[in-house]
Amino acid sequence: MLKLLHLFITSSKPVVEILLITSVGLYMALDGVNLLGPDARKYLNDIVFYVFNPSLVGSRLADSVTYESLVKMWFMPINLLLTFIIGSLLGWIVILITKPPSHLRGLIVGCCDAGPFGDPENCNKYGMGYVALSMAMGSVYIWTYVYNLMRVLSNSPIETQPSIESSCKVPLISSKEEEEENHKVGRWDRFKRRMVSLSEKVNLSTIFTPTTIAAIIALVIGLINPVRKLIIGNVAPLGVLQDSVTLVGDGAIPATTLIIGGNLLKGMRSSGMKRSSIIGVLVARYILLPISGVLIVRGAYKLDLITSEPLYQFVLLIQYAVPPAMSLGTITQLFGAGESECSVVMLWAYGLASVSLTAWPTFFMWLVA
């Protein structure tokens, strides 16, 4: 019983920290204080997006990823990707059941599939290498997979509307003439034309976000040993670069939490998020996703895809039981869709995180023992 109480207190500490910083952001956004109004939140969010988050991901990834760690823990990036894919599917189920407004679909899917992956202060407790790599790869997935998924879903009502120009072009060529034209043109030529058309529609700037670019640079530094020795480590000649980037990156989570607190004020006054949608996100995040994690990790163990080391399996399982990532607040602020609703979901999710992060780790430790 005492061990369970200690586990509850330990898991509650980071949650309480998040809620306290959120309350500070809420206070700063009050009309009488007005230190974190709409314009201030927008400018601070831009700094987080272009400066803080790339520094955070780049410093952690370069420090934790080596060729040896990737070979040893090859299943961890795959396991993380599975958490995002399964979370996305659960998010779609929540959308189909609760039928939220179209501009909130990206937020719901994001809350179901994106989670933070460890606290650097707890790395010694759970294994420095495991948690560091998990945290770094999770951030990469958030700013590649989740960011673009939320971008598409947030803009889908506009993008999917047929234009007058496109509707007028339909009857100009009959299906018979089109079939004859396709018969004349080779398959390879048709394939090339489709690829060119697709490349014209794809905006690479939305795929290669500043955080994604930082992750690529960090991977190059981490995997190339001579470059790593030059920059990473206490005795590295250019170690001051890593220390500076780490110092800047440490501001990402506090700044994001303040923004969420500021947006929460609007969410408390009026929110478009249905109660059923919030409940759906919590059920998907704290019940269905951990259950799927147990099936995947234990299945991988039975198939000899991962080792029998309990600590490694425990970290893999924990990846399925964490609350939604704070980075979602930055993403919704960038798109201007669902900022206040995101804060409301975060409030509920982190309010219940202490229970989830006590119950599931206790079960996981029994399972892998």
Side-chain angles (χ1 to χ4, degrees):
M1 186 65 183
L2 291 176
K3 290 183 179 180
L4 187 62
L5 179 61
H6 181 265
L7 183 61
F8 178 78
I9 295 174
T10 302
S11 62
S12 298
K13 182 182 176 182
V15 174
V16 173
E17 291 174 354
I18 292 293
L19 295 178
L20 287 176
I21 300 175
T22 301
S23 63
V24 173
L26 175 64
Y27 172 77
M28 294 171 65
L30 293 174
D31 295 335
V33 180
N34 199 27
L35 289 175
L36 202 60
D39 291 338
R41 293 198 296 272
K42 181 181 181 301
Y43 295 140
L44 180 59
N45 194 74
D46 288 341
I47 295 175
V48 171
F49 180 69
Y50 288 104
V51 181
F52 287 167
N53 270 325
S55 301
L56 177 68
V57 173
S59 61
R60 291 179 177 176
L61 193 60
D63 188 52
S64 61
V65 172
T66 62
Y67 177 78
E68 292 76 14
S69 66
L70 286 181
V71 171
K72 180 181 178 182
M73 298 179 283
W74 66 270
F75 185 75
M76 183 173 287
I78 298 176
N79 188 66
L80 278 172
L81 182 60
L82 289 175
T83 67
F84 284 88
I85 295 175
I86 296 173
S88 300
L89 296 176
L90 294 175
W92 273 111
I93 294 175
V94 173
I95 289 173
L96 293 175
I97 294 175
T98 63
K99 295 180 174 57
S102 58
H103 70 284
L104 296 180
R105 292 184 298 177
L107 171 61
I108 291 176
V109 173
C111 288
C112 290
D113 64 20
F117 300 96
D119 184 343
E121 295 180 359
N122 293 331
C123 285
N124 288 328
K125 180 179 178 181
Y126 296 124
M128 176 68 77
Y130 295 155
V131 177
L133 179 61
S134 174
M135 186 165 43
M137 294 304 300
S139 299
V140 172
Y141 286 142
I142 288 173
W143 288 103
T144 51
Y145 175 78
V146 177
Y147 173 83
N148 285 285
L149 183 62
M150 292 181 64
R151 176 181 62 85
V152 171
L153 291 177
S154 299
N155 296 329
S156 58
I158 298 176
E159 293 176 353
T160 55
Q161 290 179 354
S163 62
I164 298 177
E165 183 181 358
S166 62
S167 63
C168 292
K169 288 182 179 179
V170 173
L172 294 180
I173 301 177
S174 65
S175 58
K176 184 176 180 180
E177 292 175 351
E178 185 178 6
E179 183 178 351
E180 292 177 355
E181 179 69 20
N182 289 337
H183 181 71
K184 293 178 182 179
V185 180
R187 291 183 179 180
W188 174 246
D189 291 332
R190 292 202 304 270
F191 176 77
K192 287 194 296 184
R193 287 193 303 184
R194 289 175 182 174
M195 289 297 102
V196 171
S197 177
L198 180 62
S199 63
E200 291 175 352
K201 294 179 181 179
V202 173
N203 186 357
L204 294 179
S205 64
T206 60
I207 298 177
F208 291 99
T209 63
T211 304
T212 306
I213 297 173
I216 294 173
I217 296 174
L219 281 173
V220 173
I221 295 174
L223 294 177
I224 301 177
N225 202 40
V227 180
R228 180 181 182 84
K229 290 181 178 179
L230 191 65
I231 299 176
I232 307 300
N234 295 329
V235 296
L238 300 180
V240 65
L241 296 177
Q242 170 72 359
D243 295 338
S244 300
V245 173
T246 301
L247 184 62
V248 174
D250 288 342
I253 295 177
T256 302
T257 310
L258 287 174
I259 295 171
I260 289 177
N263 289 329
L264 182 61
L265 180 64
K266 180 182 176 181
M268 294 174 64
R269 291 172 176 172
S270 61
S271 174
M273 182 70 75
K274 297 179 181 179
R275 185 179 302 175
S276 58
S277 297
I278 297 176
I279 295 174
V281 169
L282 296 176
V283 171
R285 188 83 242 179
Y286 290 145
I287 298 178
L288 300 180
L289 196 57
I291 292 175
S292 65
V294 171
L295 298 176
I296 290 174
V297 174
R298 298 305 290 177
Y301 170 66
K302 295 295 184 182
L303 295 174
D304 291 328
L305 297 177
I306 59 176
T307 65
S308 59
E309 185 181 354
L311 180 60
Y312 184 44
Q313 292 189 32
F314 179 78
V315 174
L316 293 177
L317 290 167
I318 282 291
Q319 292 168 352
Y320 291 89
V322 291
M326 299 300 294
S327 301
L328 296 176
T330 304
I331 296 175
T332 55
Q333 188 82 24
L334 284 170
F335 297 149
E339 308 101 300
S340 59
E341 289 82 359
C342 178
S343 298
V344 173
V345 174
M346 289 293 181
L347 180 64
W348 282 100
Y350 278 83
L352 296 175
S354 297
V355 178
S356 174
L357 292 178
T358 300
W360 283 113
T362 304
F363 173 72
F364 293 157
M365 284 188 290
W366 170 82
L367 186 66
V368 302

